[in-house]
Amino acid sequence: MFRQTLSSTRVLARSFRPQLIQRTAFLSLRGYATRKYTPEHEWVSVDANGVGTVGITEYAAKALGDVVFVEIPEVGTPVLQKEQLSAVESVKAASDVYAPLSGEVIEVNQELESEPSLINSSPFEKGWIAKIKLTKKEELDGLLDEAAYAEHIKE
Amino acid sequence: MHWYSRFSRKLVQQHRHPALTVLRQKCAVSYLSTVATLPSAGKVECYISKETDPWINLAFEEWLFRKSNSARYILYLWRNQTCVVIGRNQNPWKECHLKLMQDDGVPLVRRRSGGGAVYHDIGNSNYTIFMPRDEFDRRTNAQLVCRGLHQLDIPASVNERHDLVIGDKKVSGSAYKLVNARAYHHGTMLIDADLTALGRYLRPPPKNLVGKGVESVRSNVTRLREHSFTVDHLSFCEAVAGEFYRTHGVPWREPVELTVDHMKANPKVRDYYDEIRTWEWIYGQTPDFAHRLERSFRWADADILMNVHRGMITEANVSLKSERHIAVASRLSECLQGTRYSEDGIREAFGMLKEDLILGTRDLEELEELQEWLEISL
């Protein structure tokens, strides 16, 4: 269903807007609908089954520079909110990634092992790090929405 | 001489090198604009370690990093006894000559920041600058240290990898760590370190080792000693601290000395120390890799492939290409699985193998040969 909403937005946008603007509008629309953020630049997008997909934001990826290594968590690992989930390294900078929500890691993005640069090229899509089966959905309310995060990185 | 009595002496700027004037301009900051946005003096601190144990010094660093979650700027100065320090996501079997280090009693240390392998000894000084993450950028602090070197009349500059160089030779390597709202930038400074030892330990023998993780970038190096007869640890620390205070617009204050008593008084420092001394941290944090070894013995051709995860052999495939050794090869594959990728692990696996199978004198001799080769090949 999610996919359908996406593509219909895209089709709509394509018919009305020039190429460049269309893409930006499409991305932010979807962001408003699903994505939440931490002040430490992680994002999480939660589906109807209570599974949160986690990654780091475009802002963080840009600040880090070319990612050369991603420490991928292990499936089955229980994580608590604000506990370390993963770590990335970019041009001599090691940066810890924290779990935005508590739960259990049920899937990881193995692609990052051979292609860590996906974090830079596609931070919100192909550069996702892990999927967490949430155990405390109420924690989601404490995260930033798109507008609040945008405000946060402007500071 | 107590080190801080030297700190109080005013630095005399000399302009012997004409090149320095140009370099100074490149690294210059507008102090006026810095002063306008300055943090208050209370937010600037300076520490110097009196210890030379690399793990104690890294534990102090971690403690300074974690203890304040505020907008503080902290400078920490330290130096280590001879050791090799690898980056957070590096493979020590690939980056350094572990056998030589073991023979010479040189410890291997894994730090928490990124980057490549570096050699430390008492002729190498280190600096760490802690700052709010939002203020983090690779160049600013490299330039700060560079200005410190200019104070010592050393014509250094910052290169495109944000390392400090003199001419085209590196004198200082840098690495960074970002956690939540804090960041640090740290680096080495070759003052009069033993460059022969540096080359020896950082040039590993070739191995058929394939894995992820971060590889070191090799650079030609030089030392400050080649450009100054008088520079030493204390004058370097003094120059960097002076520049640090000046950049942040605060008057000179004696840096706080850190000693082993600090570790005793702070259980957290002890925890950080204990953690980075474990095998699980030093070797076990190595990104996954595979090691393939081949050798022809008189009695068989050996071809061994080991997959290593967190320092443990998770899969081993031993082929001895000889009918007589089929049982040994398959049992050895099983025994290697689940042991440490280390000499001890190999020894353990061969121990198990010898208990499991009934072997003749000839078999035992061959196994002995195989084991010895495996142990030295890691």
Side-chain angles (χ1 to χ4, degrees), chain B residues 177-190:
Chain B
K177 176 86 189 169
L178 309 157
V179 171
N180 287 331
R182 301 284 292 159
Y184 68 70
H185 173 151
H186 63 187
T188 53
M189 185 60 68
L190 295 167

Side-chain angles (χ1 to χ4, degrees), chain B residues 303-374:
Chain B
D303 184 345
I304 300 178
L305 181 72
M306 291 180 282
N307 287 330
V308 184
H309 173 69
R310 293 190 179 246
M312 308 296 282
I313 302 171
T314 48
E315 218 185 317
N317 200 331
V318 180
S319 153
L320 292 171
K321 294 190 188 105
S322 118
E323 291 271 322
R324 193 163 59 84
H325 296 94
I326 288 176
V328 168
S330 103
R331 190 68 197 117
L332 181 58
S333 304
E334 287 164 19
C335 291
L336 283 169
Q337 244 172 66
T339 61
R340 274 182 182 177
Y341 176 82
S342 70
E343 278 180 37
D344 287 345
I346 302 289
R347 223 168 285 140
E348 199 183 305
F350 276 84
M352 274 197 279
L353 177 73
K354 286 173 196 164
E355 269 178 35
D356 290 356
L357 299 177
I358 300 158
L359 301 160
T361 327
R362 184 173 158 204
D363 299 321
L364 284 171
E365 276 172 15
E366 289 164 359
L367 274 185
E368 209 62 45
E369 220 179 314
L370 187 68
Q371 178 178 348
E372 199 181 305
W373 164 65
L374 256 182

Side-chain angles (χ1 to χ4, degrees), chain B residues 85-141:
Chain B
V85 183
I86 56 168
R88 172 73 181 82
N89 299 306
Q90 287 205 294
N91 184 331
W93 291 282
K94 215 172 172 177
E95 298 301 333
C96 38
H97 203 311
L98 290 173
K99 285 280 175 307
L100 214 55
M101 288 162 59
Q102 201 178 9
D103 292 349
D104 297 355
V106 173
L108 171 73
V109 181
R110 185 188 294 274
R111 61 175 187 265
R112 291 174 189 275
S113 63
V118 283
Y119 167 81
H120 286 225
D121 67 23
I122 213 72
N124 172 76
S125 299
N126 307 290
Y127 64 90
T128 310
I129 298 173
F130 305 86
M131 73 212 96
R133 184 184 182 147
D134 296 340
E135 301 300 315
F136 171 73
D137 106 65
R138 292 174 173 85
R139 185 156 285 269
T140 312
N141 294 300

Side-chain angles (χ1 to χ4, degrees), chain A:
Chain A
M1 203 205 90
F2 181 48
R3 283 273 161 217
Q4 274 168 7
T5 327
L6 272 188
S7 44
S8 59
T9 318
R10 181 184 274 164
V11 170
L12 261 177
R14 190 173 294 152
S15 53
F16 291 119
R17 291 167 190 275
Q19 198 71 29
L20 196 73
I21 300 174
Q22 166 223 318
R23 176 129 186 97
T24 333
F26 148 68
L27 278 178
S28 59
L29 256 180
R30 192 165 41 149
Y32 275 119
T34 60
R35 230 183 275 135
K36 292 269 198 162
Y37 304 83
T38 68
E40 286 78 36
H41 316 289
E42 289 99 14
W43 60 265
V44 57
S45 148
V46 180
D47 71 7
N49 302 320
V51 174
T53 305
V54 179
I56 66 167
T57 68
E58 190 172 4
Y59 175 85
K62 266 191 190 148
L64 285 172
D66 295 340
V67 174
V68 291
F69 180 77
V70 182
E71 191 186 297
I72 300 163
E74 280 178 42
V75 171
T77 315
V79 285
L80 286 174
Q81 188 179 34
K82 292 181 181 170
E83 258 187 16
Q84 192 176 344
L85 171 71
S86 160
V88 299
E89 179 166 340
S90 55
V91 235
K92 303 193 277 178
S95 170
D96 291 351
V97 178
Y98 290 84
L101 301 165
S102 308
E104 188 190 319
V105 177
I106 55 162
E107 203 183 327
V108 293
N109 187 357
Q110 290 295 352
E111 300 249 326
L112 292 175
E113 198 175 296
S114 52
E115 216 180 321
S117 61
L118 286 175
I119 297 246
N120 298 106
S121 59
S122 179
F124 294 123
E125 304 275 328
K126 291 181 185 161
W128 66 277
I129 296 171
K131 295 192 184 197
I132 299 175
K133 176 79 185 163
L134 307 181
T135 46
K136 291 181 189 162
K137 274 193 210 165
E138 65 278 11
E139 287 172 345
L140 197 59
D141 302 331
L143 299 183
L144 306 173
D145 61 15
E146 179 104 17
Y149 180 69
E151 193 58 35
H152 172 68
I153 56 178
K154 227 195 284 172
E155 278 165 15

